[in-house]
Short mmCIF file of all heavy atoms in Angstrom, two decimals:
data_model
loop_
_atom_site.label_atom_id
_atom_site.label_comp_id
_atom_site.label_asym_id
_atom_site.label_seq_id
_atom_site.Cartn_x
_atom_site.Cartn_y
_atom_site.Cartn_z
N PHE A 1 0.80 -1.22 0.00
CA PHE A 1 0.00 0.00 0.00
C PHE A 1 0.83 1.28 0.00
O PHE A 1 0.29 2.36 -0.23
CB PHE A 1 -0.96 0.00 1.19
CG PHE A 1 -1.88 -1.19 1.24
CD1 PHE A 1 -2.25 -1.76 2.45
CD2 PHE A 1 -2.35 -1.77 0.08
CE1 PHE A 1 -3.09 -2.86 2.50
CE2 PHE A 1 -3.19 -2.89 0.11
CZ PHE A 1 -3.56 -3.43 1.33
N ASN A 2 2.12 1.16 0.29
CA ASN A 2 2.94 2.38 0.27
C ASN A 2 4.28 2.22 -0.44
O ASN A 2 5.04 3.19 -0.52
CB ASN A 2 3.16 2.92 1.69
CG ASN A 2 3.86 1.92 2.60
OD1 ASN A 2 4.38 0.90 2.15
ND2 ASN A 2 3.88 2.21 3.90
N GLU A 3 4.57 1.02 -0.96
CA GLU A 3 5.86 0.80 -1.62
C GLU A 3 5.74 0.16 -3.00
O GLU A 3 6.76 -0.15 -3.62
CB GLU A 3 6.77 -0.07 -0.74
CG GLU A 3 7.14 0.56 0.60
CD GLU A 3 7.99 -0.36 1.45
OE1 GLU A 3 8.37 -1.45 0.95
OE2 GLU A 3 8.28 -0.01 2.62
N SER A 4 4.53 -0.08 -3.49
CA SER A 4 4.38 -0.68 -4.81
C SER A 4 4.93 0.25 -5.88
O SER A 4 4.77 1.48 -5.80
CB SER A 4 2.92 -1.00 -5.10
OG SER A 4 2.48 -2.11 -4.36
N THR A 5 5.57 -0.32 -6.89
CA THR A 5 6.23 0.48 -7.92
C THR A 5 5.60 0.36 -9.30
O THR A 5 6.00 1.05 -10.23
CB THR A 5 7.71 0.09 -8.02
OG1 THR A 5 7.81 -1.33 -8.27
CG2 THR A 5 8.46 0.42 -6.73
N MET A 6 4.62 -0.50 -9.45
CA MET A 6 3.98 -0.69 -10.77
C MET A 6 5.04 -0.85 -11.87
O MET A 6 5.11 -0.06 -12.80
CB MET A 6 3.07 0.50 -11.10
CG MET A 6 2.08 0.86 -10.02
SD MET A 6 0.67 -0.26 -9.95
CE MET A 6 0.39 -0.35 -8.17
N PRO A 7 5.89 -1.86 -11.78
CA PRO A 7 7.02 -1.96 -12.72
C PRO A 7 6.58 -1.97 -14.18
O PRO A 7 5.57 -2.59 -14.53
CB PRO A 7 7.66 -3.30 -12.34
CG PRO A 7 7.22 -3.57 -10.93
CD PRO A 7 5.85 -2.98 -10.83
N GLN A 8 7.33 -1.26 -15.01
CA GLN A 8 7.00 -1.16 -16.41
C GLN A 8 6.95 -2.54 -17.07
O GLN A 8 6.07 -2.82 -17.90
CB GLN A 8 8.02 -0.27 -17.14
CG GLN A 8 7.70 -0.05 -18.61
CD GLN A 8 6.44 0.76 -18.84
OE1 GLN A 8 6.25 1.82 -18.26
NE2 GLN A 8 5.55 0.27 -19.70
N GLY A 9 7.90 -3.40 -16.72
CA GLY A 9 7.92 -4.74 -17.30
C GLY A 9 6.67 -5.54 -16.98
O GLY A 9 6.14 -6.26 -17.84
N GLU A 10 6.21 -5.44 -15.72
CA GLU A 10 4.99 -6.13 -15.33
C GLU A 10 3.78 -5.56 -16.05
O GLU A 10 2.87 -6.29 -16.45
CB GLU A 10 4.79 -6.03 -13.81
CG GLU A 10 5.86 -6.73 -12.99
CD GLU A 10 5.79 -8.25 -13.09
OE1 GLU A 10 4.68 -8.77 -13.37
OE2 GLU A 10 6.83 -8.91 -12.89
N LEU A 11 3.76 -4.25 -16.23
CA LEU A 11 2.67 -3.62 -16.97
C LEU A 11 2.64 -4.11 -18.42
O LEU A 11 1.58 -4.41 -18.96
CB LEU A 11 2.81 -2.10 -16.92
CG LEU A 11 1.87 -1.29 -17.83
CD1 LEU A 11 0.40 -1.59 -17.52
CD2 LEU A 11 2.16 0.21 -17.70
N ASP A 12 3.80 -4.20 -19.04
CA ASP A 12 3.87 -4.64 -20.43
C ASP A 12 3.36 -6.07 -20.59
O ASP A 12 2.65 -6.39 -21.55
CB ASP A 12 5.31 -4.54 -20.94
CG ASP A 12 5.80 -3.09 -21.05
OD1 ASP A 12 4.94 -2.18 -21.11
OD2 ASP A 12 7.03 -2.88 -21.05
N ILE A 13 3.74 -6.94 -19.65
CA ILE A 13 3.28 -8.33 -19.70
C ILE A 13 1.77 -8.40 -19.53
O ILE A 13 1.07 -9.10 -20.28
CB ILE A 13 3.99 -9.17 -18.62
CG1 ILE A 13 5.49 -9.28 -18.92
CG2 ILE A 13 3.36 -10.56 -18.50
CD1 ILE A 13 6.29 -9.91 -17.80
N TYR A 14 1.26 -7.69 -18.53
CA TYR A 14 -0.17 -7.69 -18.26
C TYR A 14 -0.94 -7.13 -19.46
O TYR A 14 -1.98 -7.68 -19.84
CB TYR A 14 -0.47 -6.87 -17.01
CG TYR A 14 -1.93 -6.85 -16.63
CD1 TYR A 14 -2.51 -7.92 -15.96
CD2 TYR A 14 -2.74 -5.78 -16.96
CE1 TYR A 14 -3.85 -7.90 -15.60
CE2 TYR A 14 -4.08 -5.75 -16.62
CZ TYR A 14 -4.62 -6.82 -15.95
OH TYR A 14 -5.97 -6.79 -15.61
N ARG A 15 -0.46 -6.06 -20.04
CA ARG A 15 -1.11 -5.45 -21.20
C ARG A 15 -1.23 -6.47 -22.35
O ARG A 15 -2.28 -6.60 -22.97
CB ARG A 15 -0.30 -4.23 -21.64
CG ARG A 15 -1.00 -3.38 -22.70
CD ARG A 15 -0.16 -2.35 -23.35
NE ARG A 15 1.03 -1.92 -22.66
CZ ARG A 15 1.19 -0.70 -22.12
NH1 ARG A 15 0.21 0.17 -22.16
NH2 ARG A 15 2.32 -0.38 -21.54
N GLN A 16 -0.14 -7.18 -22.61
CA GLN A 16 -0.13 -8.15 -23.69
C GLN A 16 -1.13 -9.29 -23.43
O GLN A 16 -1.88 -9.68 -24.32
CB GLN A 16 1.28 -8.72 -23.88
CG GLN A 16 1.38 -9.74 -25.01
CD GLN A 16 2.78 -10.30 -25.14
OE1 GLN A 16 3.69 -9.90 -24.43
NE2 GLN A 16 2.98 -11.22 -26.05
N ILE A 17 -1.14 -9.79 -22.21
CA ILE A 17 -2.04 -10.89 -21.85
C ILE A 17 -3.50 -10.46 -21.99
O ILE A 17 -4.33 -11.18 -22.54
CB ILE A 17 -1.74 -11.39 -20.43
CG1 ILE A 17 -0.37 -12.06 -20.38
CG2 ILE A 17 -2.84 -12.35 -19.96
CD1 ILE A 17 0.08 -12.42 -18.98
N GLN A 18 -3.82 -9.27 -21.48
CA GLN A 18 -5.20 -8.81 -21.51
C GLN A 18 -5.68 -8.55 -22.93
O GLN A 18 -6.84 -8.81 -23.26
CB GLN A 18 -5.35 -7.54 -20.65
CG GLN A 18 -5.19 -7.78 -19.15
CD GLN A 18 -6.17 -8.81 -18.64
OE1 GLN A 18 -5.78 -9.92 -18.26
NE2 GLN A 18 -7.44 -8.48 -18.64
N LYS A 19 -4.82 -8.05 -23.78
CA LYS A 19 -5.21 -7.82 -25.17
C LYS A 19 -5.47 -9.15 -25.88
O LYS A 19 -6.39 -9.27 -26.69
CB LYS A 19 -4.14 -7.01 -25.90
CG LYS A 19 -4.09 -5.55 -25.47
CD LYS A 19 -2.88 -4.83 -26.03
CE LYS A 19 -2.95 -4.68 -27.53
NZ LYS A 19 -1.81 -3.89 -28.07
N GLN A 20 -4.67 -10.16 -25.56
CA GLN A 20 -4.90 -11.48 -26.14
C GLN A 20 -6.22 -12.06 -25.65
O GLN A 20 -6.99 -12.64 -26.43
CB GLN A 20 -3.74 -12.40 -25.79
CG GLN A 20 -2.43 -12.06 -26.50
CD GLN A 20 -1.27 -12.90 -26.02
OE1 GLN A 20 -1.32 -13.51 -24.95
NE2 GLN A 20 -0.19 -12.93 -26.80
N LYS A 21 -6.49 -11.92 -24.35
CA LYS A 21 -7.74 -12.42 -23.80
C LYS A 21 -8.93 -11.69 -24.41
O LYS A 21 -9.96 -12.30 -24.72
CB LYS A 21 -7.74 -12.26 -22.27
CG LYS A 21 -6.80 -13.19 -21.55
CD LYS A 21 -6.74 -12.90 -20.06
CE LYS A 21 -8.03 -13.11 -19.37
NZ LYS A 21 -7.91 -12.91 -17.89
N LEU A 22 -8.80 -10.37 -24.58
CA LEU A 22 -9.87 -9.58 -25.16
C LEU A 22 -10.14 -10.01 -26.60
O LEU A 22 -11.30 -10.10 -27.03
CB LEU A 22 -9.53 -8.09 -25.10
CG LEU A 22 -10.58 -7.12 -25.64
CD1 LEU A 22 -11.90 -7.26 -24.87
CD2 LEU A 22 -10.06 -5.67 -25.54
N SER A 23 -9.09 -10.28 -27.34
CA SER A 23 -9.23 -10.71 -28.73
C SER A 23 -10.04 -12.00 -28.82
O SER A 23 -10.89 -12.15 -29.71
CB SER A 23 -7.85 -10.90 -29.36
OG SER A 23 -7.95 -11.33 -30.69
N VAL A 24 -9.80 -12.93 -27.91
CA VAL A 24 -10.53 -14.19 -27.89
C VAL A 24 -11.97 -13.97 -27.42
O VAL A 24 -12.93 -14.49 -28.00
CB VAL A 24 -9.82 -15.22 -26.99
CG1 VAL A 24 -10.68 -16.47 -26.83
CG2 VAL A 24 -8.45 -15.57 -27.56
N SER A 25 -12.14 -13.17 -26.35
CA SER A 25 -13.46 -12.97 -25.75
C SER A 25 -14.43 -12.27 -26.69
O SER A 25 -15.63 -12.55 -26.68
CB SER A 25 -13.33 -12.17 -24.46
OG SER A 25 -12.58 -12.87 -23.49
N LEU A 26 -13.93 -11.35 -27.52
CA LEU A 26 -14.80 -10.60 -28.41
C LEU A 26 -15.44 -11.46 -29.48
O LEU A 26 -16.39 -11.04 -30.14
CB LEU A 26 -14.02 -9.45 -29.07
CG LEU A 26 -13.71 -8.25 -28.16
CD1 LEU A 26 -12.80 -7.26 -28.85
CD2 LEU A 26 -15.00 -7.57 -27.71
N LYS A 27 -14.96 -12.67 -29.64
CA LYS A 27 -15.57 -13.60 -30.58
C LYS A 27 -16.75 -14.34 -29.96
O LYS A 27 -17.47 -15.05 -30.67
CB LYS A 27 -14.52 -14.60 -31.07
CG LYS A 27 -13.36 -13.96 -31.82
CD LYS A 27 -12.30 -14.98 -32.18
CE LYS A 27 -11.10 -14.30 -32.87
NZ LYS A 27 -10.03 -15.30 -33.19
N LYS A 28 -16.94 -14.18 -28.66
CA LYS A 28 -18.00 -14.88 -27.94
C LYS A 28 -19.20 -13.96 -27.77
O LYS A 28 -19.09 -12.87 -27.20
CB LYS A 28 -17.49 -15.37 -26.58
CG LYS A 28 -16.29 -16.29 -26.67
CD LYS A 28 -15.77 -16.64 -25.29
CE LYS A 28 -14.54 -17.53 -25.37
NZ LYS A 28 -13.98 -17.83 -24.02
N SER A 29 -20.35 -14.39 -28.23
CA SER A 29 -21.55 -13.56 -28.19
C SER A 29 -21.95 -13.18 -26.76
O SER A 29 -22.37 -12.06 -26.51
CB SER A 29 -22.71 -14.29 -28.88
OG SER A 29 -22.43 -14.47 -30.25
N GLU A 30 -21.80 -14.14 -25.82
CA GLU A 30 -22.21 -13.85 -24.45
C GLU A 30 -21.33 -12.77 -23.81
O GLU A 30 -21.80 -11.97 -23.00
CB GLU A 30 -22.20 -15.12 -23.60
CG GLU A 30 -20.84 -15.78 -23.40
CD GLU A 30 -20.52 -16.79 -24.47
OE1 GLU A 30 -21.13 -16.74 -25.58
OE2 GLU A 30 -19.66 -17.66 -24.21
N PHE A 31 -20.04 -12.72 -24.19
CA PHE A 31 -19.15 -11.69 -23.68
C PHE A 31 -19.55 -10.32 -24.21
O PHE A 31 -19.63 -9.35 -23.46
CB PHE A 31 -17.70 -12.01 -24.06
CG PHE A 31 -16.70 -10.97 -23.64
CD1 PHE A 31 -16.21 -10.94 -22.35
CD2 PHE A 31 -16.25 -10.02 -24.56
CE1 PHE A 31 -15.29 -9.97 -21.96
CE2 PHE A 31 -15.32 -9.06 -24.17
CZ PHE A 31 -14.85 -9.04 -22.88
N VAL A 32 -19.80 -10.25 -25.50
CA VAL A 32 -20.21 -8.99 -26.11
C VAL A 32 -21.53 -8.51 -25.52
O VAL A 32 -21.71 -7.33 -25.21
CB VAL A 32 -20.33 -9.15 -27.64
CG1 VAL A 32 -20.88 -7.87 -28.27
CG2 VAL A 32 -18.97 -9.49 -28.24
N ALA A 33 -22.47 -9.44 -25.31
CA ALA A 33 -23.77 -9.07 -24.75
C ALA A 33 -23.64 -8.50 -23.35
O ALA A 33 -24.32 -7.52 -22.99
CB ALA A 33 -24.69 -10.28 -24.75
N GLY A 34 -22.77 -9.08 -22.53
CA GLY A 34 -22.57 -8.59 -21.17
C GLY A 34 -22.03 -7.18 -21.13
O GLY A 34 -22.38 -6.40 -20.24
N ARG A 35 -21.21 -6.83 -22.10
CA ARG A 35 -20.67 -5.47 -22.18
C ARG A 35 -21.72 -4.49 -22.67
O ARG A 35 -21.93 -3.41 -22.09
CB ARG A 35 -19.45 -5.45 -23.11
CG ARG A 35 -18.23 -6.12 -22.56
CD ARG A 35 -17.29 -6.63 -23.63
NE ARG A 35 -16.73 -5.65 -24.52
CZ ARG A 35 -15.51 -5.10 -24.42
NH1 ARG A 35 -14.75 -5.42 -23.37
NH2 ARG A 35 -15.05 -4.25 -25.31
N VAL A 36 -22.40 -4.85 -23.72
CA VAL A 36 -23.29 -3.91 -24.39
C VAL A 36 -24.55 -3.63 -23.59
O VAL A 36 -25.06 -2.50 -23.59
CB VAL A 36 -23.63 -4.41 -25.81
CG1 VAL A 36 -24.65 -3.49 -26.48
CG2 VAL A 36 -22.37 -4.49 -26.66
N ILE A 37 -25.08 -4.62 -22.87
CA ILE A 37 -26.31 -4.37 -22.11
C ILE A 37 -26.07 -3.31 -21.04
O ILE A 37 -26.94 -2.47 -20.79
CB ILE A 37 -26.87 -5.68 -21.49
CG1 ILE A 37 -28.28 -5.44 -20.95
CG2 ILE A 37 -25.95 -6.21 -20.40
CD1 ILE A 37 -29.29 -5.06 -21.99
N ASP A 38 -24.90 -3.31 -20.41
CA ASP A 38 -24.60 -2.28 -19.42
C ASP A 38 -24.45 -0.91 -20.08
O ASP A 38 -24.84 0.11 -19.51
CB ASP A 38 -23.31 -2.63 -18.67
CG ASP A 38 -23.51 -3.75 -17.67
OD1 ASP A 38 -24.67 -3.98 -17.26
OD2 ASP A 38 -22.52 -4.40 -17.28
N GLU A 39 -23.91 -0.88 -21.28
CA GLU A 39 -23.82 0.38 -22.01
C GLU A 39 -25.22 0.93 -22.32
O GLU A 39 -25.47 2.13 -22.21
CB GLU A 39 -23.03 0.20 -23.30
CG GLU A 39 -22.89 1.48 -24.12
CD GLU A 39 -22.23 1.25 -25.47
OE1 GLU A 39 -21.89 0.10 -25.79
OE2 GLU A 39 -22.06 2.24 -26.22
N LEU A 40 -26.14 0.06 -22.71
CA LEU A 40 -27.51 0.49 -23.00
C LEU A 40 -28.18 1.04 -21.75
O LEU A 40 -28.93 2.02 -21.82
CB LEU A 40 -28.32 -0.68 -23.55
CG LEU A 40 -27.88 -1.27 -24.90
CD1 LEU A 40 -28.77 -2.45 -25.27
CD2 LEU A 40 -27.89 -0.21 -25.99
N LEU A 41 -27.94 0.41 -20.61
CA LEU A 41 -28.60 0.81 -19.36
C LEU A 41 -28.06 2.11 -18.79
O LEU A 41 -28.81 2.93 -18.27
CB LEU A 41 -28.43 -0.30 -18.32
CG LEU A 41 -29.24 -1.58 -18.54
CD1 LEU A 41 -28.71 -2.69 -17.65
CD2 LEU A 41 -30.71 -1.33 -18.26
N TYR A 42 -26.73 2.30 -18.86
CA TYR A 42 -26.10 3.40 -18.14
C TYR A 42 -25.42 4.43 -19.04
O TYR A 42 -25.15 5.55 -18.60
CB TYR A 42 -25.06 2.85 -17.15
CG TYR A 42 -25.62 1.83 -16.20
CD1 TYR A 42 -25.30 0.48 -16.31
CD2 TYR A 42 -26.47 2.21 -15.17
CE1 TYR A 42 -25.81 -0.45 -15.43
CE2 TYR A 42 -26.99 1.28 -14.29
CZ TYR A 42 -26.66 -0.06 -14.43
OH TYR A 42 -27.16 -0.99 -13.55
N GLY A 43 -25.08 4.05 -20.27
CA GLY A 43 -24.31 4.93 -21.13
C GLY A 43 -22.83 4.59 -21.04
O GLY A 43 -22.33 4.24 -19.97
N PHE A 44 -22.12 4.72 -22.16
CA PHE A 44 -20.73 4.30 -22.20
C PHE A 44 -19.83 5.17 -21.34
O PHE A 44 -18.79 4.73 -20.88
CB PHE A 44 -20.22 4.31 -23.65
CG PHE A 44 -18.84 3.74 -23.81
CD1 PHE A 44 -18.64 2.37 -23.70
CD2 PHE A 44 -17.75 4.56 -24.03
CE1 PHE A 44 -17.36 1.84 -23.82
CE2 PHE A 44 -16.48 4.04 -24.17
CZ PHE A 44 -16.28 2.67 -24.07
N GLU A 45 -20.22 6.40 -21.07
CA GLU A 45 -19.39 7.30 -20.26
C GLU A 45 -19.58 7.05 -18.76
O GLU A 45 -18.82 7.60 -17.96
CB GLU A 45 -19.70 8.76 -20.60
CG GLU A 45 -19.35 9.14 -22.04
CD GLU A 45 -19.68 10.58 -22.36
OE1 GLU A 45 -20.25 11.26 -21.47
OE2 GLU A 45 -19.36 11.03 -23.48
N HIS A 46 -20.54 6.25 -18.38
CA HIS A 46 -20.77 5.95 -16.98
C HIS A 46 -19.90 4.77 -16.55
O HIS A 46 -19.69 3.84 -17.33
CB HIS A 46 -22.25 5.62 -16.76
CG HIS A 46 -22.67 5.61 -15.33
ND1 HIS A 46 -22.49 4.52 -14.51
CD2 HIS A 46 -23.25 6.57 -14.56
CE1 HIS A 46 -22.95 4.79 -13.31
NE2 HIS A 46 -23.43 6.02 -13.30
N PRO A 47 -19.38 4.77 -15.31
CA PRO A 47 -18.54 3.66 -14.86
C PRO A 47 -19.20 2.29 -14.95
O PRO A 47 -18.51 1.28 -15.15
CB PRO A 47 -18.24 4.01 -13.39
CG PRO A 47 -18.37 5.49 -13.33
CD PRO A 47 -19.46 5.85 -14.30
N TYR A 48 -20.51 2.23 -14.83
CA TYR A 48 -21.20 0.95 -14.93
C TYR A 48 -21.33 0.48 -16.38
O TYR A 48 -21.57 -0.70 -16.63
CB TYR A 48 -22.60 1.03 -14.32
CG TYR A 48 -22.65 1.28 -12.83
CD1 TYR A 48 -23.85 1.61 -12.21
CD2 TYR A 48 -21.51 1.21 -12.05
CE1 TYR A 48 -23.92 1.84 -10.85
CE2 TYR A 48 -21.56 1.46 -10.68
CZ TYR A 48 -22.78 1.78 -10.09
OH TYR A 48 -22.84 2.02 -8.74
#
């Protein structure tokens, strides 16, 4: 809580993994539906 450094290398690895996961997930209709229904309810600019 007071010494974390958010290392650039760890960020780069995490970024790569998440983009790969997103690429796979976007092919799944249920994943897309879960995202879009919240956008319809609250608006894309809202945190929900």
Side-chain angles (χ1 to χ4, degrees):
F1 303 145
N2 60 11
E3 297 178 5
S4 287
T5 56
M6 309 283 143
Q8 183 66 50
E10 295 290 335
L11 171 58
D12 293 340
I13 294 171
Y14 182 79
R15 189 192 339 250
Q16 181 181 357
I17 292 172
Q18 291 303 111
K19 288 171 67 176
Q20 290 174 342
K21 289 174 64 176
L22 181 59
S23 179
V24 173
S25 296
L26 286 173
K27 298 175 183 178
K28 302 175 182 178
S29 296
E30 64 270 21
F31 177 81
V32 175
R35 289 155 61 99
V36 176
I37 191 63
D38 286 339
E39 180 186 1
L40 297 178
L41 288 165
Y42 305 108
F44 187 73
E45 296 180 356
H46 194 277
Y48 295 169

